[in-house]
Amino acid sequence: MDSFLRRRGPAKTMAIGGGLAVLAGILLSVVPLDHGTIPQWNGLCASGIGQLGQLLDTSARQACGMVGVADHLIGWLVGLGVAAVVAGGLLAFYQQGWIPQPPGQPTLPFLSAASTQPAASPAGMGPAQPAGRWRWPAGWHGLRLAVIAVVAGLLAAGGAYAAVSTTQGSAGLASFLCWNGPGDTGATLLQWLAGPVVSGTYRNASVTGTAPGEQVSTGSGALTGTVNGASASLDMGGGPEYGTIGTSLVLQVTQSDGSVQPVTCKPGTTAGWNQALAVLSRQVSTDNSAAASQQQQQNTNAQITQADQQLTTDIATLTQDATTLETDKTLAGDIQTMRNDLGTGQSDYQVELSDPPSNRCSDASTVGSDASTVDSDLSTLQSDEQNLESNNVSQDISAVQSDTSTVTNLGGSPNPDPATAIAQGKKALSDLAAAIAWASSTGNSIDNQAHQVASQAQSASGC
């Protein structure tokens, strides 16, 4: 190294080393490594699909870490190389005497061997400057300008490299989104490093199931294939699909019915993919809500129909029971029987009055027996009253009213209208109450008359 420095000089050595570093950085930036340059691979690792891959695969995370280090190394090579070239140039200027040393400062050791002493200048003015040459400002002002120039060169080199690296990384990622917007039931994101050999990943999402059980099903996997000019062949694991690639990607995709239909995929990013997923999720939510509401309405309609059918049955039962109650003649028959038996007792009492005294004891006993028969008739009347009071009309009215409330609460209109049947049932109950009151009063009166006749017959018999 010492011999090299002596032969080439420090300035040339720095310039050559800096140039080699810049060349190495450029080569690392443009030479493909496994179908992609280091900036392109770093761009893929920084993308959404790259982040997902690192989360799922430890080896991918390690590879992306190495690519990131290599990408930073390129930046350092280019930056330091440019800085070395600039420093070498400044050193050459210094060696040529264009950058003077401050007065009274010793000559730097590594400069003394390669430089000659310039002619003395007038006292207090420092070394004389060669005639005809550009004069760098003397003293510390000149050194400050040199430092500023070096820093500016470093910043310019770093900025240029960052711009080139970012452009290469973005341009090297092919990304297409196969989605027609709201209303489409599926979306697919295809991403790979641009080049003749496709090696990337795909993501897909589709609406599956039937509402109200719809859901968004997602999947992902390796994307392979080739690109040759405007022709493309992509394989997502189900066999190659052929198409054309340009501003958009158009694939001829085999459908479920066996037909082949073109599918257009436009340039898209991870943000577009996330938007497509959000739209599909909202679509599924809307479909499920609408289907659930429709199903609920169908269930409600079925319940209304069932309640109407029950209402029809209960109205028929109420009408029949009310009619039966209205037309019942049991109480009237019981009263008529009591009247007939009372008449028998009255007739037997008249016989007693016309018979000779010897027969009157026997006749009085007959009249008393007739009164007992009337008592028995009164018991039958009271039993029939109780039977009629235990009728089903009241329960029938309650059932019809309950059916009506059920239909109304479900949002329907009772069909048929229960008002007529309920009114008929209430009238039957009212008429029954009046009939029972009349029968009780009449029956008790007849029974009292029968006992009065029996008491008169006993008195007349003299027994």
Side-chain angles (χ1 to χ4, degrees):
M1 175 62 74
D2 292 339
S3 61
F4 183 83
L5 289 174
R6 286 193 295 271
R7 291 196 306 270
R8 299 295 182 182
K12 290 183 179 180
T13 300
M14 293 176 68
I16 293 173
L20 291 176
V22 172
L23 179 61
I26 293 174
L27 290 176
L28 288 175
S29 298
V30 300
V31 174
L33 300 174
D34 194 14
H35 310 299
T37 64
I38 290 177
Q40 290 174 344
W41 282 111
N42 192 44
L44 177 60
C45 289
S47 66
I49 189 67
Q51 297 294 327
L52 177 63
Q54 294 180 59
L55 291 175
L56 300 178
D57 190 349
T58 303
S59 61
R61 184 162 58 252
Q62 294 175 348
C64 284
M66 296 175 62
V67 168
V69 172
D71 192 57
H72 283 84
L73 176 61
I74 293 174
W76 281 106
L77 286 173
V78 174
L80 293 177
V82 172
V85 171
V86 172
L90 292 176
L91 181 59
F93 289 160
Y94 202 107
Q95 289 176 340
Q96 294 298 322
W98 291 3
I99 303 178
Q101 298 184 47
Q105 296 294 328
T107 303
L108 299 178
F110 71 89
L111 291 177
S112 59
S115 62
T116 59
Q117 295 294 332
S121 61
M125 298 300 294
Q129 301 297 328
R133 294 180 180 178
W134 174 80
R135 296 178 180 273
W136 186 274
W140 289 107
H141 182 61
L143 289 178
R144 284 197 296 270
L145 289 179
V147 172
I148 292 173
V150 172
V151 173
L154 288 173
L155 293 176
Y161 168 73
V164 171
S165 178
T166 302
T167 302
Q168 289 178 341
S170 299
L173 180 64
S175 183
F176 293 93
L177 180 60
C178 313
W179 182 52
N180 295 325
D184 199 350
T185 58
T188 302
L189 179 66
L190 307 175
Q191 291 184 318
W192 71 91
L193 289 174
V197 177
V198 175
S199 178
T201 59
Y202 72 88
R203 302 184 196 179
N204 57 21
S206 60
V207 178
T208 58
T210 303
E214 280 187 358
Q215 60 182 355
V216 178
S217 299
T218 60
S220 62
L223 175 67
T224 59
T226 58
V227 174
N228 184 10
S231 299
S233 172
L234 301 180
D235 189 349
M236 290 180 281
E241 295 172 346
Y242 302 96
T244 59
I245 187 171
T247 304
S248 298
L249 173 65
V250 181
L251 295 175
Q252 302 299 323
V253 180
T254 303
Q255 307 298 314
S256 58
D257 60 359
S259 64
V260 178
Q261 301 293 335
V263 175
T264 301
C265 307
K266 299 179 181 180
T269 62
T270 303
W273 164 256
N274 292 335
Q275 180 185 4
L277 281 182
V279 171
L280 290 177
S281 297
R282 288 196 298 268
Q283 177 180 333
V284 166
S285 178
T286 300
D287 291 346
N288 287 340
S289 296
S293 297
Q294 182 179 6
Q295 189 176 64
Q296 178 63 35
Q297 187 58 50
Q298 291 175 349
N299 293 339
T300 300
N301 292 339
Q303 292 175 354
I304 291 175
T305 299
Q306 183 178 1
D308 277 336
Q309 292 174 349
Q310 185 63 45
L311 175 61
T312 300
T313 301
D314 290 342
I315 285 177
T317 301
L318 171 59
T319 301
Q320 180 180 354
D321 290 345
T323 301
T324 299
L325 194 60
E326 286 279 24
T327 58
D328 189 276
K329 304 300 182 181
T330 302
L331 298 182
D334 292 340
I335 293 299
Q336 186 59 46
T337 299
M338 292 183 70
R339 285 174 174 168
N340 292 336
D341 291 339
L342 173 60
T344 300
Q346 291 173 339
S347 298
D348 290 339
Y349 174 60
Q350 294 300 322
V351 170
E352 177 189 356
L353 293 177
S354 62
D355 280 348
S358 59
N359 293 333
R360 288 182 179 181
C361 286
S362 175
D363 293 337
S365 177
T366 299
V367 174
S369 176
D370 293 337
S372 296
T373 300
V374 173
D375 286 339
S376 178
D377 293 339
L378 180 61
S379 296
T380 300
L381 173 64
Q382 293 172 343
S383 176
D384 290 339
E385 288 174 348
Q386 292 177 354
N387 290 335
L388 290 174
E389 285 178 337
S390 62
N391 65 83
N392 295 325
V393 174
S394 294
Q395 291 83 348
D396 295 341
I397 292 176
S398 296
V400 170
Q401 290 174 335
S402 177
D403 296 338
T404 303
S405 296
T406 299
V407 174
T408 303
N409 292 337
L410 290 172
S413 298
N415 185 27
D417 188 351
T420 300
I422 291 175
Q424 183 179 355
K426 290 182 177 180
K427 182 178 182 302
L429 292 176
S430 177
D431 291 345
L432 173 63
I436 290 176
W438 167 80
S440 295
S441 176
T442 303
N444 289 329
S445 176
I446 293 173
D447 187 62
N448 289 333
Q449 293 178 36
H451 283 283
Q452 289 176 0
V453 171
S455 177
Q456 292 173 356
Q458 186 65 34
S459 299
S461 66
C463 297

